[in-house]
Amino acid sequence: KDSIRPFIFGSVSVTSTMYKSKEDVRKERQRMCRISEEQNGGVVIAPSSTIMPDTPVENIMQLYSKI
C-alpha cells in the first residue's frame, strides 16, 4: 500500500480553462505535465468533467496534443 501512488484525475477545468484561449489551454496542459514529471507521475491530464458541445474544438485538440 505504501508503494501505490494516488492519481489526480480531471486536472483541467472544463468550466474555465477550456473556454479560454488556445494558448491558455496549452499553458495549462504544460503546467500539468510539469507537475506530473516533478511528482514522478500521479497526474492524469484529463478534463474535470464532460466537455460540453460548445467548447471550441481547437481547445480540445490543444489539450490532447503532445501528451
Side-chain angles (χ1 to χ4, degrees):
K1 292 182 180 180
D2 291 330
S3 64
I4 298 174
R5 293 185 55 86
F7 283 88
I8 299 172
F9 284 88
S11 54
V12 179
S13 173
V14 296
T15 58
S16 61
T17 304
M18 294 305 289
Y19 287 97
K20 292 182 180 179
S21 72
K22 189 169 99 172
E23 179 66 16
D24 288 334
V25 174
R26 183 188 65 78
K27 287 178 182 178
E28 181 65 7
R29 183 195 74 231
Q30 288 178 327
R31 185 179 80 85
M32 296 312 300
C33 286
R34 187 173 51 255
I35 290 171
S36 183
E37 288 173 3
E38 290 169 356
Q39 300 297 318
N40 293 317
V43 177
V44 177
I45 300 170
S48 59
S49 186
T50 302
I51 296 176
M52 300 306 291
D54 63 339
T55 303
V57 173
E58 53 273 359
N59 287 0
I60 298 168
M61 299 302 291
Q62 186 61 247
L63 175 64
Y64 291 109
S65 69
K66 299 182 184 179
I67 293 183

